[in-house]
Amino acid sequence: MRRATGPKGRRPPMAKVHSLYTCGQCGHEAHKWLGRCPGCGAWNSFIEERFEGRPASPARIHGAEPTRLADVEVTAATRVKTRISELDRVLGGGVVPGSLVLVGGEPGIGKSTLLLQVLGNLCCDHRVLLVSGEESAAQVKLRADRLLQDLGAVEVLVETDMDAVLAAIKKSRPELVVVDSVQTLYSSEIGSVPGSVSQVREVAGRFMRLAKEDGISVFLVGHVTKEGALAGPRVLEHMVDTVLQFEGDRNLTYRVLRSIKNRFGSTNEIGVFEMKEAGLETVDDPSALFLEDGARSCGSAILAALEGSRSLLIEVQALVAGSGLAYPKLVGTGIDRGRLAMIVAVLSRRAGLNLAGSDVFVNVAGGVRVEEPAADLAVALAIASAHRDSPLKGKTACFGELSLTGDLRFCIGAERRLDEAAKMGIEAVVLPHKNAGSLSVPGVEVLAAGNLSAALAQVF
Ligand SMILES: Nc1ncnc2c1ncn2[C@@H]1O[C@H](COP(=O)(O)OP(=O)(O)OP(=O)(O)O)[C@@H](O)[C@H]1O
Ligand SMILES: [Mg+2]
């Protein structure tokens, strides 16, 4: 009779190729392909990835000891100014040494341009390196010739192998590294192709370790998917310190850079740039850019917006058209669709607007996105104006968050919004009653409204 050598039922481990399916949206892992991700609910998002042997388990468990916070030594981390004022503000006052920043945006929007300008500005006082996996050194040089006056000290490494990149960085010891892009690098330890979920995660993880251990600031360029989300798993956003996203219509010349996550500063801070032959130029007066001249037409309302620490005026446009469809269309560009549906519902139930059977289109002019709830009132007034086919009276701006009851809720930063409105020649601002208080800005009439119907009465 044969006797088993090992414990009953257990076989010696074998090196074997494992398949793992990973959700491209959220990084959820499963052992078989799934049509819908149980993690985030995305359809058709699972991608197969192959691993040789078991994925390594963390080996360094011994020797870890906690430290008392009081004993932690901190060297006063002085931020490095990029000397691009809009970028410095979005970062929260400059680049924090040893931080990992992800810069995302559609193709051609200006990610490489902005970061090359940063390298050009910093290269005289700091050692900087561009790791290019996307363009050859000659292509980078061509762009640099167009953008930079002095490019002598910018170093370029054209390489896609993560090990080689890290070895080169350890050797030349730069203070700032730009990686263009994180999707092109690969680690040979991971069996899947560059740009796949596990590669992107691994590459970003190794740059994070580099940043934290060696105090090197790293900018990662990340591509976005068709839907506009950063490609690669959501975990990428969790790993990095700061996520900056380029917005705007790439056919127009200006671009908005928004911080959607920042461990070292406030989020939703925006920077506005204009794309010129010589690169991205900062725009000091963005309201002028987003507002079209002349009298306001039907279906247009001006939002006195507050983005982070900056106030600006943004035009919201709406069109209401009779629909021949059983399910009328509701289309929003630059605004959250759920929010738009709510505003339309509140307009019909609380302000008596008959929108049933109409297609409603809302567009935020200039390709920017508005995310703050204070934009609700501008969207509602634009739709009401389009529906009535009559423009809002005078030079009026507005802000206010709508509740489901049709009431207008308190919004932060009323004074700063009014200041900006005054600066741009606005004569009156419709705002929530709760904000009106002792608010007074010379040259601007305050039109307080407790609810949506009152606001409508103020502007028509
Ligand atoms: N000579 C030029 N004059 C003005 N603008 C230019 C010129 N050349 C390029 N551009 C602008 O630069 C943009 C390309 O910028 P950039 O290469 O930085 O984009 P990117 O975000 O890195 O794109 P990708 O994801 O494809 O790498 C073009 O869309 C164009 O607007
Ligand atoms: Mg690029």
Side-chain angles (χ1 to χ4, degrees), residues 112 134-135 180:
S112 308
E134 230 153 61
E135 294 171 22
D180 195 358

Side-chain angles (χ1 to χ4, degrees), residues 104-111 222-226 228 245-246 248 250:
E106 281 182 34
I109 198 135
K111 304 178 292 294
H223 293 175
V224 295
T225 59
K226 282 200 296 290
Q245 174 105 26
F246 262 114
R250 112 181 104 111

Side-chain angles (χ1 to χ4, degrees), residues 386-408:
H387 182 252
R388 290 175 177 225
D389 223 2
S390 92
L392 307 191
K393 71 173 185 211
K395 289 187 170 171
T396 312
C398 64
F399 67 90
E401 178 183 351
L402 271 183
S403 69
L404 291 181
T405 56
D407 290 336
L408 287 173

Side-chain angles (χ1 to χ4, degrees), residues 277-359:
E277 166 89 31
L280 287 162
E281 232 171 61
T282 58
V283 175
D284 298 321
D285 188 9
S287 294
L289 215 64
F290 296 124
L291 285 190
E292 280 158 33
D293 286 338
R296 302 257 76 84
S297 37
C298 300
S300 154
I302 298 172
L303 164 68
L306 192 68
E307 298 281 0
S309 63
R310 139 172 280 180
S311 51
L312 75 166
L313 301 185
I314 296 174
E315 183 179 350
V316 179
Q317 301 162 344
L319 180 69
V320 176
S323 176
L325 302 168
Y327 296 98
K329 276 193 202 140
L330 190 57
V331 183
T333 316
I335 147 169
D336 180 62
R337 197 174 181 281
R339 201 86 204 163
L340 177 58
M342 182 210 84
I343 295 167
V344 167
V346 172
L347 270 170
S348 26
R349 287 303 307 264
R350 308 287 177 213
L353 235 69
N354 182 13
L355 291 168
S358 302
D359 292 330

Side-chain angles (χ1 to χ4, degrees), residues 229-307:
L230 279 162
R234 262 284 155 81
V235 285
L236 200 58
E237 289 183 28
H238 292 297
M239 281 160 88
V240 301
D241 297 311
T242 304
V243 182
L244 305 183
Q245 174 105 26
F246 262 114
E247 292 170 5
D249 193 331
R250 112 181 104 111
N251 302 314
L252 301 174
T253 60
Y254 54 84
R255 312 278 194 264
V256 174
L257 186 67
R258 185 189 295 273
S259 81
I260 49 181
K261 162 179 174 175
N262 196 350
R263 285 189 180 142
F264 311 115
S266 77
T267 44
N268 263 331
E269 201 66 66
I270 64 164
V272 186
F273 298 92
E274 193 171 352
M275 180 64 91
K276 295 247 176 88
E277 166 89 31
L280 287 162
E281 232 171 61
T282 58
V283 175
D284 298 321
D285 188 9
S287 294
L289 215 64
F290 296 124
L291 285 190
E292 280 158 33
D293 286 338
R296 302 257 76 84
S297 37
C298 300
S300 154
I302 298 172
L303 164 68
L306 192 68
E307 298 281 0

Side-chain angles (χ1 to χ4, degrees), residues 97-100 169 173-177 210-212 214-218:
S99 64
L100 185 62
I169 292 176
R173 305 212 61 79
E175 288 161 67
L176 180 96
V177 177
L210 176 82
K212 302 299 161 202
D214 298 10
I216 300 175
S217 310
V218 182

